[in-house]
Amino acid sequence: MSAGGEQAALARIERARTRRRAFRDAQITTAHGAGGKATHELIERLLVPELGGGAQLAALADAAVFGAGDALIAMTSDSFVVRPLRFPGGSIGELAVNGTVNDLAMAGAAPLALTLSLVLEEGLDSEVLRAEVAAAGAAARAAGIEIVGGDTKVVERGAADGMYVCTAGVGLVDPRAELSPGAARPGDRLLVSGPIAEHGIAVMLARGEFELGAAVESDTCSLWPAVAALLDACPRELRSLRDPTRGGLASALNELAQTSRTGMIVEEERVPLARAVGGACELLGIDPMYVACEGRLLAIVAPQAVDAALGALRSAGCAGAAEIGTVEADPAGMVLVATAFGSRRVLDMLVGDPLPRIC
Amino acid sequence: MSAGGEQAALARIERARTRRRAFRDAQITTAHGAGGKATHELIERLLVPELGGGAQLAALADAAVFGAGDALIAMTSDSFVVRPLRFPGGSIGELAVNGTVNDLAMAGAAPLALTLSLVLEEGLDSEVLRAEVAAAGAAARAAGIEIVGGDTKVVERGAADGMYVCTAGVGLVDPRAELSPGAARPGDRLLVSGPIAEHGIAVMLARGEFELGAAVESDTCSLWPAVAALLDACPRELRSLRDPTRGGLASALNELAQTSRTGMIVEEERVPLARAVGGACELLGIDPMYVACEGRLLAIVAPQAVDAALGALRSAGCAGAAEIGTVEADPAGMVLVATAFGSRRVLDMLVGDPLPRIC
């Protein structure tokens, strides 16, 4: 893209973004659940205004943080509707626990308590349920969070596919954490904790809709050990954390760029990507930057802390941690990808839903 | 029933209860979501053991209570799958917020923060969604709880009916509350805050499956004002609180009787019941003691506090509050109904699910 063309494209996207409109979609589509543009429009134009949006909601963080007595606690909730229920590297029960623990971890909160609410389809095999409940229990023990309660509802045959799992989590915010989605400053660096896109591709391949034999496993795991290591190593230099789930790394970067009003420049060849995942993405025609991870984090750190942060991540088991780019003043609110060939392209939020029901 | 026959029946039920068995149902049925016997078996024999059941889970309270820093907080979660989404007196959005606020209130906790997780069916009319989100927002403002976050997932057409709503709530436990599901002692009194069975019957009639013209409205509302009034009036004499939702007053009484190892004697003619609700129950062949309320509480109080407690409930808007029975030493762990004719019958937990999908 020429410099002039790029400028025009940036200005057009920026104009569209700042134009705040009513939610005009007549019906809900899968794109509204994909974590990209349509999800953001649903949240910003319908959910937040109709709920009477307080400051917490409007912040759109992975978890809300508020005081309870003298404690500062983080709270989050998620629904999981992944299909199939089991896939290489994980299953819905494990995913639900890790996803909730990770939303707390992104707020700098140590996992404390979790609830598990099940919507079960009449006729569900009890052993399938047992396996998922056991998987959730094992994941909770591994992550050091106590499952304190839950709820079970049963709907008729055909009214849910097998089971949906809704989780909520509460954590205690680490007093060293000074995290904010708007904290990025020009000069800061972008780090990821490991290769991207593995969860989404593992689930897609598990459906057997594609004739691909690639062996890809979900990356689902608790990220609290990685966050704890970062807080030990460089608490003051750690600006923002996100786990790039639905909408992938691209959507997480866009959210942080918009909130901080900075530009994020990603060097494409530095983004870690397993060969099998890259190959599957190419065959499926999907950019891995938009594919969900469920056990990776994106960290923005001050430049002097890059080595300490990478060392901390590796010591916490994130062998593939890498620096992938920088924060710049311009283009404010946008993400650019710099390719190995020297060109740059705008990496916008996810549009549509190429990979439905992956979490 | 003769005295000997009653004894034999009691002994038989008690034996069946204490015999702890594996969960043997091969498939999930609607009874597992009804809040009665099958739900308890699912929880006690499958969920708690497989989750690695800690003390909180095993207590099976409406909300878990734990320390977070210096604060004592309560946490709860629920899924709502009511059909239809709107019914006289309420709708799924309002029900979800009040249900969660009430679980916190039953733990003596003032509502603090709530999350709302939506599972939406592709094709859902956006105005239907907007109405429910607005209803949830209004209910939250009325109950004084802040909606701090949420999540949205979309499933394909046919994979959910319209929408399911999963909520989680956190509250701050009132330092005056000394509540426990096992605190009832012989001599204590049973109070309810108003007429029972209205929510369940309102939803059933709204489905139009029965040719009944009765005008019954759901009782859905926040119970925190009633609990706050009780804590003002008689904090030390307030033993246990339950909101008799799924499984109705009968199941709530059974849970408290079993946990406290006391006998609960309910005087049938003192249980408040609107004429239209009683008539509908008779025509449907359902005992109103098993029908869900969503805005009523059952309180167990020390005998000297009955007048103060009833006065507090009435001052908090519970005009129909009534004393309905007593706690006795025997039969331990059971509930008996004394009829106006002088007979007594065992009121066991709900078996099966006569009223599916009412919350």
Side-chain angles (χ1 to χ4, degrees), chain A residues 217-272:
Chain A
E217 294 210 340
S218 168
D219 51 19
T220 180
C221 73
S222 160
L223 287 167
W224 173 244
V227 174
L230 287 171
L231 289 172
D232 283 342
C234 51
R236 319 258 349 224
E237 293 83 11
L238 192 60
R239 314 267 200 231
S240 312
L241 292 173
R242 280 275 153 142
D243 58 332
T245 56
R246 283 182 300 171
L249 192 58
S251 297
L253 284 165
N254 268 280
E255 286 168 18
L256 296 179
Q258 286 174 36
T259 313
S260 63
R261 306 302 303 157
T262 61
M264 309 259 171
I265 318 298
V266 178
E267 292 176 60
E268 192 165 47
E269 84 272 25
R270 298 182 76 172
V271 177

Side-chain angles (χ1 to χ4, degrees), chain A residues 30-40 246-248 251 255 349-350 352-353, chain B residues 152:
Chain A
T30 55
H32 292 115
K37 257 187 177 159
T39 303
H40 277 257
R246 283 182 300 171
S251 297
E255 286 168 18
M349 282 212 163
L350 178 68
D353 189 8
Chain B
T152 307

Side-chain angles (χ1 to χ4, degrees), chain A residues 25-26 28 50 68 70-71 77-79 83 115 117 123-124 126 130 151-153 156 158-159 164 166 168 246 357, chain B residues 25-26 28 50 68 70-71 77-79 83 115 117 123-124 126 130 151-153 156 158-159 164 166 168 246 357:
Chain A
D25 300 339
I28 297 303
E50 295 292 348
D70 293 336
S77 82
D78 264 307
S79 302
R83 206 165 41 87
T115 58
S117 212
L124 176 69
S126 298
R130 185 188 301 277
D151 179 48
T152 307
K153 293 283 156 63
E156 301 86 345
Y164 300 147
C166 305
R246 283 182 300 171
R357 306 280 296 272
Chain B
D25 300 340
I28 297 303
E50 295 292 348
D70 293 337
S77 82
D78 264 308
S79 301
R83 207 166 39 87
T115 58
S117 212
L124 176 68
S126 297
R130 185 189 300 276
D151 180 48
T152 307
K153 293 282 157 65
E156 300 86 345
Y164 301 147
C166 305
R246 284 181 299 172
R357 305 281 295 274

Side-chain angles (χ1 to χ4, degrees), chain B:
Chain B
M1 199 185 284
S2 72
E6 186 181 300
Q7 280 305 111
L10 296 183
R12 206 161 48 237
I13 292 172
E14 186 56 24
R15 269 201 309 280
R17 270 187 187 161
T18 48
R19 216 183 302 140
R20 293 282 230 143
R21 284 168 308 193
F23 183 77
R24 293 200 194 283
D25 300 340
Q27 291 193 330
I28 297 303
T29 67
T30 55
H32 292 115
K37 258 188 177 160
T39 303
H40 277 256
E41 285 183 10
L42 175 67
I43 293 171
E44 290 170 10
R45 297 177 185 180
L46 193 153
L47 299 182
V48 173
E50 295 292 348
L51 288 171
Q56 290 285 355
L57 254 190
L60 295 179
D62 286 317
V65 172
F66 52 90
D70 293 337
L72 198 58
I73 69 174
M75 181 181 186
T76 185
S77 82
D78 264 308
S79 301
F80 293 84
V81 299
V82 64
R83 207 166 39 87
L85 298 177
R86 312 220 113 203
F87 42 83
S91 69
I92 193 170
E94 183 180 359
L95 189 65
V97 170
N98 288 339
T100 301
V101 166
N102 291 349
D103 281 348
L104 297 174
M106 296 308 108
L112 188 62
L114 183 136
T115 58
L116 203 63
S117 212
L118 305 168
V119 177
L120 307 177
E121 183 178 356
E122 186 186 1
L124 176 68
D125 186 315
S126 297
E127 292 310 308
V128 170
L129 174 61
R130 185 189 300 276
E132 291 319 313
V133 172
R141 283 189 294 280
I145 194 165
E146 191 186 356
I147 299 181
V148 297
D151 180 48
T152 307
K153 293 282 157 65
V154 179
V155 294
E156 300 86 345
R157 273 169 216 274
D161 351 61
M163 63 191 292
Y164 301 147
V165 179
C166 305
T167 47
V170 162
L172 210 50
V173 177
D174 190 300
R176 296 169 300 175
E178 298 178 13
L179 299 162
S180 149
R185 305 175 204 171
D188 287 348
R189 303 302 165 84
L190 308 174
L191 312 183
V192 295
S193 65
I196 66 164
E198 299 187 348
H199 174 75
I201 294 301
V203 172
M204 285 311 286
L205 297 182
R207 287 192 202 150
E209 294 164 8
F210 306 102
E211 298 289 324
L212 287 175
V216 178
E217 293 210 340
S218 168
D219 51 19
T220 180
C221 71
S222 159
L223 287 167
W224 173 244
V227 174
L230 287 170
L231 289 172
D232 282 343
C234 51
R236 319 260 345 225
E237 294 84 11
L238 191 60
R239 312 267 199 231
S240 311
L241 291 173
R242 280 275 153 143
D243 58 333
T245 57
R246 284 181 299 172
L249 192 57
S251 296
L253 284 164
N254 268 280
E255 286 168 16
L256 296 178
Q258 287 176 32
T259 313
S260 63
R261 306 302 303 156
T262 62
M264 309 260 172
I265 317 299
V266 177
E267 291 175 61
E268 191 165 46
E269 83 274 23
R270 299 182 76 172
V271 177
L273 183 68
R275 184 186 299 265
V277 176
C281 284
E282 208 156 296
L283 286 165
L284 296 172
I286 299 168
D287 184 342
M289 296 291 281
Y290 291 102
V291 179
C293 312
E294 289 286 346
R296 304 289 181 235
L297 63 79
L298 164 68
I300 301 184
V301 299
Q304 68 273 23
V306 166
D307 291 340
L310 287 174
L313 287 172
R314 287 171 191 144
S315 75
C318 304
E323 182 184 352
I324 61 164
T326 55
V327 178
E328 299 190 0
D330 295 306
M334 310 202 63
V335 181
L336 299 181
V337 171
T339 69
F341 310 107
S343 69
R344 305 207 307 178
R345 59 185 162 85
V346 174
L347 187 72
D348 205 355
M349 281 210 163
L350 177 68
V351 175
D353 188 9
L355 300 177
R357 305 281 295 274
I358 47 86
C359 62

Side-chain angles (χ1 to χ4, degrees), chain A residues 97-113:
Chain A
V97 170
N98 288 338
T100 301
V101 167
N102 292 348
D103 281 348
L104 296 175
M106 296 307 107
L112 188 61

